Amino acid sequence: MATSTMDYTLSTTEFTYDLSNNPLFKKDENNYINSLSIKQLNTLGNTSLLDIFLSTGNVVEPHTHQNATELVYCISGSAVVSLINPFTNELLHFPITPGQVANVPQGWWHYEVATVDHTHLLAIFDAPVPEAIFGSDTLRLTPAKLLAYTYCLDEKKVQEALAPIQKTVIIGPPADCQPSTAPASNSAPNVNHQPYVMPNVQPNVQPNMQPNMQPNSQPNNQPNMQPYVNRLPYWGTWVDPRIIHEPGCPYYRELSVNTINQEEK
């Protein structure tokens, strides 16, 4: 309990509050968040909370709380709480069901995904008013030119990819989202598995996908560099970064004609 100089004899002293009177965000009737802080209940002290309602596949977008630890308690339904451990550079996933909790230390990057309808979560904070930095704001407010330059990406493609993000998302996908491709059937997290750990190593390319690969016909300016591949967290999808990396980038590498022909066979 934070030290308080409040006069509890005053008529303005508050002991109860209806969270439905303080909506933080509403996507639709099944996906919304109500909040409670010392601004609504002046006797709270160093505590606050978010009352979160989600349907299957909806996501409390990636974000951080720079001033508070977050304890996520599952009241009903089920969800996966994912976070990045900054000390080990691991992406961790923690499925929770009613009666279970997942703890997110202060300042850690995290998000929550509902895996069934009528999921109800309670996020409890050790701060009178929780603060947050959302991924959507980071993406839309950082200049595309800087992102492209910093990460050796195609600026036009970065601009096109980020253009739909015009405001803070909080619960995604946005209500007006029209994805170009439908999500894979296995894209929703499975609550029956153990927490997934992303090892802090560069993954190798998939075995036997390119048998008898011929040497790269282009001069190799970095002979000891491992192939640069991305493994999207949790879904296990392998992505060739040449989709966006351009010639001249150290991560760009063209396959030889012989290799392409072998792959087609």
Side-chain angles (χ1 to χ4, degrees):
M1 173 68 179
T3 302
S4 175
T5 58
M6 180 176 178
D7 185 350
Y8 290 92
T9 66
L10 297 176
S11 61
T12 54
T13 303
E14 302 165 332
F15 296 100
T16 65
Y17 187 79
D18 185 347
L19 272 70
S20 63
N21 293 328
N22 190 43
L24 172 69
F25 180 83
K26 185 173 183 178
K27 174 181 175 179
D28 53 41
E29 294 299 324
N30 298 312
N31 297 277
Y32 58 94
I33 301 174
N34 296 326
S35 68
L36 178 71
S37 72
I38 199 170
K39 294 181 179 180
Q40 291 78 44
L41 192 60
N42 57 19
T43 57
L44 263 183
N46 203 41
T47 305
S48 53
L49 60 84
L50 296 178
D51 203 17
I52 305 170
F53 298 85
L54 300 170
S55 55
T56 304
N58 278 266
V59 182
V60 177
E61 69 161 315
H63 62 284
T64 64
H65 299 289
Q66 63 270 38
N67 71 329
T69 292
E70 176 181 351
L71 182 66
V72 185
Y73 176 75
C74 183
I75 297 173
S76 63
S78 62
V80 175
V81 179
S82 301
L83 57 84
I84 292 178
N85 184 333
F87 296 95
T88 62
N89 286 327
E90 294 173 332
L91 175 62
L92 308 175
H93 302 276
F94 300 102
I96 56 174
T97 54
Q100 297 180 335
V101 300
N103 192 55
V104 182
Q106 179 177 337
W108 287 26
W109 189 251
H110 65 286
Y111 54 93
E112 294 90 17
V113 183
T115 54
V116 298
D117 287 338
H118 308 295
T119 291
H120 185 187
L121 306 175
L122 195 64
I124 306 165
F125 304 92
D126 58 350
V129 180
E131 300 171 354
I133 300 174
F134 291 100
S136 55
D137 292 334
T138 301
L139 292 173
R140 70 187 180 88
L141 297 176
T142 304
K145 184 175 183 178
L146 178 68
L147 291 173
Y149 176 77
T150 303
Y151 302 112
C152 193
L153 306 176
D154 183 291
E155 182 179 348
K156 183 178 180 180
K157 292 179 181 178
V158 173
Q159 290 176 333
E160 291 176 351
L162 301 182
I165 308 176
Q166 296 295 320
K167 58 184 178 181
T168 309
V169 172
I170 301 185
I171 296 179
D176 58 353
C177 176
Q178 296 181 348
S180 57
T181 57
S185 59
N186 64 346
S187 62
N190 181 354
V191 299
N192 295 320
H193 68 76
Q194 295 297 317
Y196 174 81
V197 178
M198 176 70 76
N200 186 22
V201 295
Q202 281 285 358
N204 292 323
V205 296
Q206 298 182 68
N208 301 324
M209 291 298 291
Q210 297 177 337
N212 303 320
M213 180 175 176
Q214 297 297 318
N216 188 359
S217 60
Q218 300 295 323
N220 189 354
N221 297 324
Q222 296 176 318
N224 296 322
M225 186 179 71
Q226 294 296 319
Y228 181 88
V229 292
N230 290 331
R231 189 171 191 265
L232 297 183
Y234 193 86
W235 292 274
T237 304
W238 289 85
V239 176
D240 189 333
R242 288 171 298 168
I243 295 172
I244 192 166
H245 288 298
E246 295 298 305
C249 174
Y251 297 140
Y252 179 86
R253 183 168 63 89
E254 293 184 355
L255 297 178
S256 66
V257 175
N258 292 336
T259 302
I260 295 175
N261 291 336
Q262 290 175 3
E263 286 181 341
E264 293 176 349
K265 294 177 181 179

